[in-house]
Amino acid sequence: MKVCVIGTGYVGLVTGACLAHAGHDVVCVDNNEAKVQLMKSGQSPIHEPGLPEIMQQAIAAGHLSFTTDIMAGVEHGEVLFIAVGTPPLPDGQSDTRYVEAVARSIGAHLKHGYKVIVNKSTVPIGSGDWVRMLVLDGMAEHGNHKQAEFDIVSNPEFLREGNAVYDTFNPDRIVLGSSSDRAIKVMHALYADIINRKYATDKTSTPVPVVVTDLNSAEMIKYAANAFLAVKISFVNEVANVCDRVGADIKEVSRGIGLDSRIGSKFLQAGIGWGGSCFGKDVSALIHTATDYGYTAELLKACVQVNQHQRNLVVLKLQQTLKILKGKTIGLLGLAFKPDTDDMRDAPSLTLIEQLSRLGAKVKAYDPIVSQSGIRDALSNVIVETDAERLADGCDALVLVTDWEEFRTLDYAKMAKLMTNHVMVDARNFCDREALEAAGFNYVGIGR
Ligand code: NAD
């Protein structure tokens, strides 16, 4: 099938490359010229395990190409994915200007035949009808409203950065929202091999569940899923804060409640709280939508507050241990918002850098990927080191911010010897407390 994906970020590039790997003819469009040139050469502008390999295979097979020319993309695709960013505005609502620009452009270039326009960007509830209107406006402005037909589908994305390729081939479900049976049939055909688990790593004979809904419900499913996960993390963090006071260990408590099949063990790790490009913006957007429709989303507001508290808590723990932070050197182990990605959007490390520098501390950091990438150049108030031992050198405390697997096996005894004071705030409850104490650290966890 001929596919066009507009916007080649974490979602668009992975979607385009995986569909091309599955044999579809995919043209990816982005308005960032430098990015398009890089991708044409088979390189991925983002760190995502397995992505460069499938990009290169698909390019070599002639199934994947990149362009800045949206007209070429729209003419090529029977299915047109909108996968541009929807970042948060200061008041919490989504900034939908990129979706708007793309929808109008699609309308301007929709000249003939039938196309399915798919919203993969996370967009406020009601955006499916809004995109339809913008496409029609774009068509009318260019006098081509009589020649082409289209339908809108909402197909929200649930991939996890760091596991995006795996998640695309092994989804828990595929959600399709539309009022058009014809468009739903096209989407079923597009995803047929993924639904039948042809590329799945975990082989099972059961097809991937496809949830077909109306447009608004599909859009709501995306927000509700992210809001639920954010609430689950804030819940366990709140319990951890009570554990800290009463002398219980949140790791034991999480294990004890997570084994209950009604609860489940995922997203029950207490720590510095959630971050990244999605949870904060999607929870805020849902709060905003609720307010627009006369409802105050108290639980979601509390979830955001608890999350902010967790970030502040790490600084508080450093103050409780080191007292005055002015003139102290703090080393951050990890910068990315989670392991196996280079994404720094709303990363807890940024809050720590800002707060610690404001308090007069010198902040250093080491991250297995960000330390090697150009992203480090955009960071201020932090000295980015190239390995963990350089990081430890001269530090009064380390804070484990991102639970990168390589942080399990660092030579902590050697690192402790290089430090001025030996504090470790394990903001992910990731390290082995006894091993760290044996290495000479004063270990401080969250809720333990
Ligand atoms: P991103 O910021 O990484 O990428 C967006 C891309 O769109 C950029 O490459 C940008 O250059 C391009 N773009 C912007 N305007 C354009 C235009 N007019 N024409 C062509 N290209 C244009 O965003 P992302 O993280 O991939 O997220 C995309 C959407 O998917 C968002 O709505 C997000 O909420 C949602 N989502 C993201 C994730 C995730 O883990 N990142 C997961 C699920 C859903």
Side-chain angles (χ1 to χ4, degrees), residues 118-296:
V118 185
N119 259 342
K120 205 165 230 336
S121 297
T122 303
V123 283
I125 295 127
S127 295
D129 291 330
W130 175 69
V131 165
R132 189 197 323 276
M133 181 191 80
L134 294 169
V135 174
L136 286 170
D137 286 354
M139 289 170 81
E141 277 162 29
H142 290 78
N144 47 6
H145 53 294
K146 294 243 160 62
Q147 295 133 38
E149 276 185 279
F150 71 92
D151 280 310
I152 304 285
V153 171
S154 166
N155 172 215
E157 181 54 64
F158 302 100
L159 63 77
R160 297 163 299 167
E161 287 180 19
N163 293 274
V165 172
Y166 174 89
D167 287 349
T168 304
F169 289 130
N170 302 268
D172 290 334
R173 78 298 208 187
I174 291 173
V175 174
L176 300 173
S178 183
S179 52
S180 158
D181 291 343
R182 185 179 179 188
I184 295 293
K185 274 196 191 114
V186 171
M187 296 305 289
H188 265 276
L190 179 75
Y191 284 129
D193 283 344
I194 292 178
I195 293 169
N196 294 319
R197 302 190 187 274
K198 184 169 172 192
Y199 303 98
T201 319
D202 306 333
K203 293 287 176 208
T204 147
S205 52
T206 338
V208 173
V210 180
V211 181
V212 177
T213 71
D214 58 276
L215 274 169
N216 292 353
S217 303
E219 290 163 353
M220 181 58 105
I221 286 170
K222 175 63 197 171
Y223 282 111
N226 273 357
F228 181 85
L229 296 173
V231 168
K232 197 170 176 190
I233 296 172
S234 284
F235 170 81
V236 79
N237 281 331
E238 183 140 275
V239 175
N241 296 337
V242 182
C243 284
D244 248 342
R245 285 161 176 79
V246 299
D249 184 338
I250 189 64
K251 282 196 92 154
E252 301 299 325
V253 175
S254 288
R255 194 171 124 73
I257 60 176
L259 285 168
D260 184 326
S261 59
R262 294 169 302 176
I263 296 173
S265 60
K266 290 182 181 159
F267 285 73
L268 273 190
Q269 287 68 42
I272 195 169
W274 40 266
S277 68
C278 290
F279 281 11
K281 97 175 161 64
D282 292 351
V283 173
S284 297
L286 190 50
I287 293 171
H288 199 276
T289 301
T291 310
D292 276 352
Y293 288 85
Y295 179 73
T296 307

Side-chain angles (χ1 to χ4, degrees), residues 55-81:
M55 280 174 72
Q56 285 152 21
Q57 282 167 17
I59 292 170
H63 289 311
L64 181 61
S65 63
F66 298 93
T67 181
T68 51
D69 181 356
I70 193 161
M71 184 171 85
V74 171
E75 282 182 357
H76 168 85
E78 304 160 65
V79 179
L80 311 173
F81 280 97

Side-chain angles (χ1 to χ4, degrees), residues 407-418:
F407 293 165
R408 272 194 208 289
T409 50
L410 294 175
D411 187 345
Y412 283 107
K414 189 168 173 198
M415 286 164 64
K417 289 202 182 83
L418 296 166

